[in-house]
Amino acid sequence: MPTTRIRTAAAALVALALAGGLSACGSSAKSSSAGSSSSAAAASSSGPAVKGTITVFAAASLQDAFTALGKSFEAAHPGTTVKFNFGGSSALAQSIVSGAPADVFAAASPATMKTVTDAKGAADTPTVFVRNTLEIAVANGNPKHLTSLQSLAAPGVKVALCAQQVPCGAAAVTALKLGNVNLTPVTLEQDVTSALTKVELGEVDASIVYQTDVKSANGKVAGVNFPEAAKAINDYPIADLAKAPNPDGAKAFEQYVESPAGLAVLTAAGFQLPSASSAAPSAAAS
Amino acid sequence: MTRRAPRPRIPIALLLPALLGLVFLVLPLVGLLVKAPWRSLPAELSSAEVWQALRLSLICATAATAISLVLGVPLAWLLARTEFPGRRVIRALVTLPLVLPPVVGGVALLLVLGRNGIVGRWLDSAFGITLPFTTPGVVVAEAFVAMPFLVISVEGALRAADPRYEEAAATLGASRLTAFRRVTLPLIAPGVAAGAVLAWARALGEFGATITFAGNFPGTTQTMPLAVYLALENDPEAAIALSLVLLAVSITVLVGLRGRWLSAT
């Protein structure tokens, strides 16, 4: 019968509206209590008691480590949800500058962070929390016997690089220059993960990615170290954002990332800790 | 002579949403024009890379349209004029790329035509042909996304065309192919042209399948939409300038052809 159907539909709608209203009340109550308690708790050494959603924009290369970090952060801070937007650092920086509602930005290079700080988008001075070294990713077993940066320039070797506009591309160009290698890649990918994927799929023979990417591929690709990588290290800065919808959450997440527990997750993923001298922000902005 | 039909009054209930719809569709384009760096525009556009990307875009879109015409018109005829089991399913499959996210299309193409793909492996070993990261790869990606537009409009034109002309031709002794070539094709020419324009415009704007399947390298696979996307990473002004060029080309073509072919009025 159509009437009963309408009635059930109406009942469902009312129920939905009620549930929605209730949950809205609940969340607003939660957030207001969080707001009052966080200011008190912030002073304590255990860090601010935070609630609500924390939106983190992070470089694509941080995806695995940060996903793990987000889960343990949520466990350590009940009532919080960490949402990630992973992508090319430059694109993320652009969307932050254009007003994307983000709380924390973790970039793969000081240059991309500079886009945000130049636009007065950061709430604090960015700090370098980890560094990442380049590595050559090749198919398992290294069928083309690629052992050095120079071997990538051999005829018949297909290489995918990151576009120069993104940090992994900029670092790769630095390394190639240092090694005096004149390389014509078949493609310039828009972030490091897509460069790695092209190796995983076997469409290219090699790509220059980060050590952490090779590690996170879980044995689907092999890594080849090269000496020039030592001079093309990328620093990863992190900052709270000026227009953060959840400033307490932003602070707490950044502190968590830089805590021994957070750094342990990152080093396990293959990141290196910055040496004391290079910890200064904007050191490698050039 | 001066008799005019009384202008029909447009109900407000229709006019208001119609105007809102118009604003919604046109405002972003206005935004592009307002934000455009007009002063530095000549400098932005005089770089060799821009013309390289534009030239590649135009060539690839045209080639993709040509492929769509050669394969799509017969396909549309098959769908409109013949009965065979599973025709509805085939029709749905043909139009799938219309709604499929282009990136998914790119992934699918990579898995089939890539160096390790089902067909790609054979192409590579038998003919030494690899499509990813090549200009023909761009054409393939664009044709995959654009051909359904052509098929749909040609099929629509075929269904609207009276099949009795073809029957008359058949009774006069024309073979089915001759009837198609001499009677049907001229009859549906406007529909074919409209479909070709749509397919061309779609191919010109293709991004997702291209960057996934063909990659991004200036001069080989970097079409305008890819150049716009990468420019946005660190030079938004350049991205706006490039977008303007693409916009101008698209509008010119659509406006120029619409009057002739796209509509009956």
Side-chain angles (χ1 to χ4, degrees):
Chain A
M1 291 284 278
T3 44
T4 50
R5 202 174 291 164
I6 287 166
R7 239 179 253 157
T8 10
L13 270 177
V14 169
L16 264 178
L18 273 175
L22 280 176
S23 69
C25 286
S27 65
S28 67
K30 255 183 227 164
S31 61
S32 64
S33 74
S36 56
S37 67
S38 64
S39 48
S44 78
S45 59
S46 65
V50 287
K51 288 274 191 297
T53 302
I54 302 157
T55 310
V56 179
F57 279 31
S61 44
L62 288 167
Q63 180 149 4
D64 284 8
F66 263 35
T67 307
L69 271 179
K71 288 216 176 84
S72 55
F73 178 86
E74 284 170 4
H77 299 82
T80 57
T81 312
V82 185
K83 275 193 187 164
F84 290 107
N85 179 13
F86 295 110
S89 295
S90 329
L92 294 176
Q94 284 300 339
S95 50
I96 289 167
V97 170
S98 318
D103 294 302
V104 181
F105 178 41
S109 74
T112 45
M113 182 57 91
K114 199 166 170 289
T115 309
V116 174
T117 49
D118 281 355
K120 310 228 182 307
D124 55 2
T125 314
T127 47
V128 172
F129 64 110
V130 283
R131 331 177 71 182
N132 212 345
T133 310
L134 293 176
E135 196 168 29
I136 299 168
V138 295
N140 271 329
N142 199 353
K144 295 249 169 164
H145 310 292
L146 303 166
T147 51
S148 65
L149 217 48
Q150 287 71 24
S151 66
L152 297 185
V157 176
K158 285 189 174 182
V159 181
L161 293 184
C162 295
Q164 245 194 85
Q165 288 91 332
V166 289
C168 58
V173 166
T174 310
L176 288 167
K177 262 191 201 141
L178 285 168
N180 246 334
V181 180
N182 199 358
L183 182 66
T184 308
V186 291
T187 180
L188 298 166
E189 296 292 311
Q190 79 274 27
D191 60 41
V192 68
T193 37
S194 29
L196 184 72
T197 308
K198 298 270 149 77
V199 180
E200 272 183 37
L201 288 171
E203 294 303 333
V204 296
D205 301 307
S207 70
I208 299 181
V209 297
Y210 297 118
Q211 279 186 355
T212 53
D213 298 306
V214 173
K215 209 160 181 177
S216 69
N218 277 327
K220 276 182 260 172
V221 298
V224 175
N225 286 309
F226 55 97
E228 293 87 352
K231 283 182 184 152
I233 287 174
N234 258 9
D235 285 337
Y236 281 54
I238 188 168
D240 295 350
L241 297 176
K243 287 182 185 151
N246 187 353
D248 291 334
K251 206 170 288 168
F253 187 79
E254 192 189 334
Q255 277 173 12
Y256 188 77
V257 168
E258 291 171 332
S259 73
L263 293 177
V265 173
L266 287 158
T267 47
F271 287 98
Q272 293 127 33
L273 297 181
S275 56
S277 60
S278 69
S282 77
S286 59
Chain B
M1 282 287 275
T2 53
R3 249 184 71 196
R4 247 183 267 163
R7 202 173 274 181
R9 287 192 50 173
I10 309 165
I12 285 280
L14 291 182
L15 187 64
L16 221 57
L19 287 180
L20 266 177
L22 182 70
V23 168
F24 174 65
L25 291 177
V26 173
L27 203 58
L29 306 181
V30 175
L32 208 55
L33 293 179
V34 170
K35 281 281 188 178
W38 294 109
R39 269 160 194 242
S40 56
L41 202 60
E44 298 272 13
L45 295 182
S46 60
S47 80
E49 288 102 66
V50 173
W51 294 108
Q52 203 177 35
L54 183 64
R55 208 176 62 108
L56 191 71
S57 277
L58 295 176
I59 290 172
C60 289
T62 307
T65 309
I67 291 179
S68 300
L69 277 168
V70 171
L71 305 179
V73 173
L75 183 56
W77 181 85
L78 208 65
L79 291 173
R81 283 284 190 270
T82 59
E83 278 296 335
F84 56 90
R87 198 173 56 90
R88 282 172 177 232
V89 178
I90 299 284
R91 194 175 183 281
L93 287 177
V94 164
T95 49
L96 197 60
L98 284 180
V99 290
L100 201 69
V103 178
V104 176
V107 172
L109 285 173
L110 210 50
L111 295 181
V112 172
L113 294 172
R115 205 158 64 150
N116 286 340
I118 309 162
V119 179
R121 191 188 297 259
W122 168 76
L123 279 180
D124 191 10
S125 61
F127 305 101
I129 299 172
T130 51
L131 282 172
F133 316 122
T134 61
T135 310
V138 178
V139 176
V140 168
E142 289 184 352
F144 178 77
V145 176
M147 195 173 354
F149 285 85
L150 182 102
V151 174
I152 288 241
S153 47
V154 173
E155 196 205 345
L158 277 168
R159 289 190 184 282
D162 197 334
R164 279 180 298 182
Y165 290 109
E166 293 161 42
E167 282 157 23
T171 56
L172 293 173
S175 73
R176 226 170 169 186
L177 188 62
T178 313
F180 174 76
R181 210 162 41 86
R182 304 286 296 271
V183 179
T184 318
L185 217 46
L187 212 56
I188 59 162
V192 174
V197 171
L198 273 180
W200 188 84
R202 181 68 191 85
L204 193 69
E206 215 301 310
F207 173 79
T210 309
I211 201 163
T212 315
F213 180 60
N216 168 60
F217 195 76
T220 318
T221 58
Q222 189 179 74
T223 56
M224 284 294 274
L226 273 58
V228 170
Y229 184 77
L230 269 161
L232 201 56
E233 300 260 300
N234 59 2
D235 191 356
E237 287 207 341
I240 297 173
L242 289 172
S243 304
L244 278 179
V245 175
L246 208 52
L247 190 69
V249 172
S250 307
I251 287 184
T252 309
V253 169
L254 287 177
V255 170
L257 294 183
R258 185 156 191 115
R260 283 184 67 183
W261 288 322
L262 271 189
S263 67
T265 53

